[in-house]
Amino acid sequence: GPPSSVCTVTNPSGCTTGQVITGTVVAGTLTQQADAHPTNPGSTTVTMRSKVVGSPFTGASSVTTAATSQVMEGALNPVTVTDVRGGTAGWSLTATLSGPFVELGGGSMPAGAASLAVAACAPVAGSATRVAGTGGNLGAAVTLCGVDPGIDDSDGDSGAGQYTVSGALELTVPAYQKAGAYTSTLVVTLT
């Protein structure tokens, strides 16, 4: 039955009373935050550079129109997902481009000219088991990281945790591409 606050010792083993201890844990939120990679001017901009084999993100900040395609690369600004909701709902972090790469003079490159490779989806200690994304061609949405619904293996028995996603973007500039400054927006969605 429920604990009692009074007892009388009637035998050598004594008697016991009980006190129910209650503590309430309020659910937090699910958030994402980007922080600037050292090669980028800020957390909302990625600087693309000509690809240099073996030494990432150190190439020239532009390429020259050529008779062959060329690859540019840039570091994804790391995105940290924090799930302190205290449940097992899970989440998914995806990325897609807002549209083709365009420049003021009318030049364009399709979204499919770009890809994103996920370098890591690094959890802090005690975080639930995550599913690291593989990235892929940005002509469609790509998965960066996630925790499946129902995961219940972190400290405190919830699917919560903190994870930092890093990666690299590549843009294949076609042969004979019109000169200009091209932009598109990488849209990172947390659901």
Side-chain angles (χ1 to χ4, degrees), residues 123-146:
V124 299
S127 296
T129 301
R130 90 287 189 236
V131 178
T134 55
N137 185 286
L138 288 167
V142 298
T143 300
L144 304 179
C145 188

Side-chain angles (χ1 to χ4, degrees), residues 48-63 70-74 168-171:
M48 299 299 285
R49 300 181 174 280
S50 61
K51 186 166 183 172
V52 177
V53 176
S55 187
F57 319 128
T58 60
S61 60
S62 62
V63 294
Q70 301 170 77
V71 178
M72 299 187 79
E73 65 180 355
L169 293 151
E170 285 196 354
L171 174 64

Side-chain angles (χ1 to χ4, degrees), residues 68-100:
T68 58
S69 64
Q70 301 170 77
V71 178
M72 299 187 79
E73 65 180 355
L76 175 70
N77 287 311
V79 176
T80 300
V81 174
T82 305
D83 184 357
V84 289
R85 295 173 295 173
T88 59
W91 55 269
S92 177
L93 188 72
T94 60
T96 188
L97 285 178
S98 60

